[in-house]
Amino acid sequence: MPRKVIIDCDPGQDDAVALFLAMASPDELEILGITAVAGNVPLELTQRNARMMCDIAGRKSLPVFAGCERPMRREPITAEYIHGNTGIDGVDAFEPDTPLQGRHAVDFIVETLLAAEKGTVTLIPTGPMTNLGTAIEREPGILDGVEQIVSMGGAMREGGNRSPSAEFNVLADPHAADIVFNCGRPITAMGLDVTHRVLSTRERVARIRELGNEVADATAGMLGFFHRHDTKKYGSEGAPLHDPCTVARLLRPDLFGTKACNLSVETQSELTLGHTAVDFWHVTDRPHNVHWAYEVDADGFYELLVERLARFGERE
Ligand code: BDR
Ligand code: CA
């Protein structure tokens, strides 16, 4: 039986690839809904981009919901300088057929989890955690329906990518992240320590492009755009492919090494706001609230991605 998932995202090229990877994996994952949040770009674009990806993947009946337009307590930040003005530069934007559902994403999350059997729904946040933090604050009882959370956010050894000490998703809504990381359900946290190892090198992007189907073309186009900015920033041979690590973890847990430890979010300091203090060496008595990902088989990850994206060609 496939695992029931809700993907909470802010597409974003890498969020888009995470959606494709999940859509290509119906034996393992049943997508109950895609919930969009403001993050890389404003909400009106992230929800449109999520619907575009459903169109491209031929999944126009997947329900897509728009959620929170701004973080829980802080002022919004965005990341057009990385993702381009549309959030998904590298593919041509269009108005998708996939409809936007009328319900607010937070209402969808609350109602779905309250109706679910105990411990049966997995949440996959790949953007700022505003929708989830708001849902938990409004109705803590929803947590009973949650099997686990596999998130992209935070950094330990890598330092920050948006401030010297903070990763973008956590910095964009540190208060929501604080609520989610302390919610008491099992969480696997994929931070920059692993996503910065999953590099979309020219060779890997070329392999995806060679697949020659529409989804692979869109993926290669978006990764090509990502490549330009991030390779300059990091001096690496390819841009990190952050968000699909969450879905890959669910499909192939063996690709990642994780360790149970405490993760606490800085919500006060102006200097280090959004920092994730990961107690990797267990030097405090704080409870182990996350499985922190610290190693990854990047070749294995790209093998999986290529194998799954190839499936879209089989229906063409
Ligand atoms: C995260 O921030 C966004 O730019 C990406 O989509 C990813 O979710 C990486 O820090
Ligand atoms: Ca994202």
Side-chain angles (χ1 to χ4, degrees), residues 27-45:
D27 290 346
E28 294 97 339
L29 304 176
E30 179 192 349
I31 304 172
L32 300 180
I34 299 170
T35 52
V37 67
N40 288 319
V41 286
L43 181 68
E44 63 187 282
L45 289 175

Side-chain angles (χ1 to χ4, degrees), residues 141-157:
I142 64 173
L143 291 166
D144 286 347
V146 176
E147 180 198 348
Q148 61 172 320
I149 299 169
V150 185
S151 63
M152 193 281 133
M156 181 187 69
R157 294 188 173 128

Side-chain angles (χ1 to χ4, degrees), residues 71-126:
M72 292 184 79
R73 322 234 197 280
R74 64 158 298 164
E75 288 302 307
I77 56 170
T78 51
E80 284 90 352
Y81 70 104
I82 295 178
H83 299 273
N85 283 335
T86 64
I88 46 160
D89 279 23
V91 284
D92 294 330
F94 60 89
E95 183 49 39
D97 292 338
T98 304
L100 181 66
Q101 301 293 314
R103 251 188 304 169
H104 192 284
V106 173
D107 293 334
F108 167 74
I109 292 167
V110 168
E111 286 160 24
T112 303
L113 290 176
L114 286 180
E117 275 177 49
K118 198 171 160 52
T120 54
V121 179
T122 291
L123 305 175
I124 310 178
T126 63

